[in-house]
């Protein structure tokens, strides 16, 4: 996924949080899982590797996670309102990640940061390591607002934004459906199961984007051409003092079991008989 590190026009150091709840009659927030700040691989057909260590990604085009695309759009809109001075797009992974960074630059980000992780290590990269990388970059770059997608669309975890806030000891506003920046304060309207919750955060802060935050723009051809001239700085995790030793070991990746064909029944009695026959009841 791709986070946006942003320099605010007026920054402030002290994390402080106030909140107020306002329920509404609306659909609950979608399932909470990875707000991974990494490039996501979109596979038309998922195939398990012969050695069962993962899925086949050879020849697969890297694409930006939709939630991260929303985060980039929000960052660019804040800059267009002159509320932030610079938008920096970040991605962790192999060389192909630069394709995704170029997309963010074409949308309006000012420059890119590619944290280069070899393909073999990238496969075991987890939200824990990505969060440490983002926290180190935020300190190095003097960032006071970090925007990420709320989750990835491959493993559906929702951990990176929260872990990054913990490493930085910053307040956080997750599942944001509206963001309002006012000087050193940030108001985040976030989706919860009971409706909406409004959180007021003191900058610096971490925000993760939900679907209803905005609708990302399409990168125009002139902006795509301009993006090719924008700078992408390449750094290694070791440059940031982050080691990538895996904390989780993948024992085996298996194809899901083949589904059995369904059976139609005419009556409730037939249904009960079939369930008894199959040992369900």
């Amino acid at each position: 996924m791709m986070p946006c590190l942003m320099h605010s026009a007026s920054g402030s150091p002290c994390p402080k949080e106030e909140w107020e709840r306002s329920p509404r009659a609306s659909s609950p927030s979608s399932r909470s899982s990875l707000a991974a700040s990494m490039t996501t691989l979109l596979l038309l057909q998922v195939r398990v590797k012969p050695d069962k260590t993962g899925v086949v990604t050879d020849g697969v085009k890297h694409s930006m996670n939709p939630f991260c695309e929303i985060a980039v759009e929000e960052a660019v809109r804040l800059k267009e309102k002159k509320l932030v001075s610079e938008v920096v797009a970040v991605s962790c992974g192999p060389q192909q990640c630069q394709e995704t960074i170029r997309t963010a630059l074409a949308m309006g980000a000012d420059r890119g940061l590619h944290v280069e992780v070899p393909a073999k290590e990238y496969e075991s990269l987890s939200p824990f390591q990505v969060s440490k990388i983002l926290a180190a970059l935020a300190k190095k770059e003097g960032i006071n607002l970090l925007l990420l997608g709320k989750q990835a669309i491959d493993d559906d975890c929702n951990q990176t934004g929260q872990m990054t806030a913990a490493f930085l000891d910053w307040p956080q506003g997750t599942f944001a459906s509206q963001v309002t920046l006012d000087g050193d304060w940030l108001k985040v309207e976030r989706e919860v199961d009971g409706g909406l919750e409004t959180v007021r955060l003191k900058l610096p802060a971490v925000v993760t984007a939900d679907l209803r935050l905005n609708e990302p723009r399409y990168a125009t051809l002139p902006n795509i051409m301009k993006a090719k001239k924008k700078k992408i700085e390449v750094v290694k995790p070791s440059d940031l003092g982050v080691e990538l030793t895996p904390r989780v070991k993948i024992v085996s990746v298996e194809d899901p079991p083949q589904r059995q064909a369904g059976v139609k029944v005419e009556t409730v009695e037939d249904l009960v008989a079939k369930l008894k026959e199959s040992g369900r009841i």
Side-chain angles (χ1 to χ4, degrees), residues 38-200:
M38 309 166 15
T39 300
T40 299
L41 302 178
L42 302 181
L43 306 179
L44 294 179
Q45 181 182 6
V46 177
R47 292 181 292 119
V48 175
K49 292 180 178 178
D51 60 4
K52 298 190 181 300
T53 59
V55 296
V56 176
T57 59
D58 297 339
V60 174
K61 179 179 172 58
H62 284 60
S63 178
M64 193 187 303
N65 183 322
F67 292 108
C68 296
E69 197 173 13
I70 292 168
V72 172
E73 174 65 26
E74 193 65 21
V76 172
R77 290 187 186 190
L78 289 172
K79 186 191 172 187
E80 289 173 343
K81 295 175 183 175
K82 303 190 184 303
L83 296 174
V84 300
S85 57
E86 184 182 38
V87 177
V88 186
V90 182
S91 189
C92 307
Q95 178 67 27
Q96 297 96 309
C97 286
Q98 294 200 14
E99 300 171 15
T100 310
I101 295 174
R102 291 290 178 198
T103 300
L105 296 176
M107 289 174 67
D110 297 292
R111 59 187 175 94
L113 273 171
H114 174 203
V115 182
E116 190 172 30
V117 179
K120 191 170 183 60
E121 292 182 41
Y122 173 69
E123 290 180 1
S124 61
L125 201 63
S126 72
F128 179 79
Q129 289 123 338
V130 174
S131 300
K132 294 187 80 169
I133 288 171
L134 294 180
L137 281 174
K139 292 175 182 176
K140 177 186 174 185
E141 295 285 329
I143 299 300
N144 54 9
L145 178 56
L146 180 57
L147 264 170
L148 306 88
K150 74 167 186 177
Q151 68 185 69
I153 57 171
D154 45 13
D155 56 9
D156 258 0
C157 291
N158 169 35
Q159 302 167 358
T160 305
Q162 292 88 329
M163 285 185 180
T164 305
F167 282 128
L168 291 168
D169 195 23
W170 288 4
Q172 59 183 291
T174 56
F175 316 121
S177 59
Q178 184 175 336
V179 174
T180 307
L181 186 59
D182 183 14
D184 294 342
W185 289 90
L186 191 69
K187 186 172 79 170
V188 177
E189 193 172 84
R190 58 189 300 270
E191 299 196 358
V192 296
D193 289 339
L196 291 180
E197 180 183 63
T198 300
V199 185
R200 192 163 178 257

Side-chain angles (χ1 to χ4, degrees), residues 212-225:
R212 278 159 286 280
L213 180 57
N214 60 53
E215 184 175 341
R217 70 194 67 190
Y218 287 102
T220 63
L221 182 58
N223 286 337
I224 291 172
M225 300 306 293

